[in-house]
Amino acid sequence: IDDDRYIQSVEEGRHHFGFRLAYDKMAELENRATEFNQMPYTLNYFPHGTKQWAQTLDSRLTISEKALSLVAFYAQGEDYILRVLNNQAQPVRGAITLGENSYDFDFGAYEAKTLRYHNGVLTEEAYMC
């Protein structure tokens, strides 16, 4: 290393750290940490193509339990695929509401489920990548 000049970093890169101390219910910790650690991204509310999301589901998707996180949501053909994760060590029963319909699912400890929305019905699928 040349010692006749200032070198801000040497192959270490710059690191920025952010900290937040919070007190939350155990079931909500994972969601709160994700909100804090991940940068916000945009949501294309006016999608292009042939999908009619706003008309199909009336633009409403809610999950009753804070311990459950929606980790993926995408179209596959004419269907929609949802991946939902239980973030705690206790089993959880949660309701997922799509439009006017509500569906109850049981999640084991730290269990992830793949759900398929097809013709107005939400069903559990075998594991999908």
Side-chain angles (χ1 to χ4, degrees):
I1 298 175
D2 295 322
D3 59 0
D4 62 340
R5 65 188 71 137
Y6 173 75
I7 298 175
Q8 187 171 357
S9 62
V10 180
E11 297 182 28
E12 294 176 1
R14 278 194 182 178
H15 302 281
H16 299 279
F17 297 96
F19 296 94
R20 180 173 79 176
L21 297 177
Y23 180 81
D24 285 313
K25 295 177 184 172
M26 186 62 121
E28 298 178 19
L29 287 177
E30 179 72 22
N31 288 336
R32 298 286 186 206
T34 301
E35 290 170 2
F36 179 72
N37 289 318
Q38 291 184 355
M39 296 297 293
Y41 53 91
T42 61
L43 173 65
N44 185 1
Y45 193 78
F46 302 100
H48 64 283
T50 59
K51 294 291 181 186
Q52 299 297 321
W53 169 251
Q55 294 173 3
T56 304
L57 299 178
D58 197 22
S59 300
R60 288 181 289 194
L61 184 146
T62 59
I63 300 176
S64 65
E65 289 294 320
K66 295 289 186 182
L68 300 177
S69 297
L70 180 67
V71 294
F73 184 147
Y74 57 91
Q76 187 178 65
E78 294 298 316
D79 302 343
Y80 293 99
I81 304 298
L82 294 81
R83 292 278 295 162
V84 182
L85 171 68
N86 175 12
N87 293 314
Q88 62 181 355
Q90 293 81 26
V92 173
R93 181 170 182 82
I96 299 172
T97 303
L98 292 168
E100 299 298 323
N101 300 321
S102 183
Y103 308 90
D104 292 326
F105 292 97
D106 291 315
F107 289 81
Y110 302 109
E111 181 180 12
K113 287 187 186 268
T114 300
L115 308 173
R116 179 181 297 271
Y117 184 76
H118 176 73
N119 290 334
V121 179
L122 186 67
T123 56
E124 184 177 348
E125 289 284 309
Y127 178 77
M128 297 173 54
C129 294

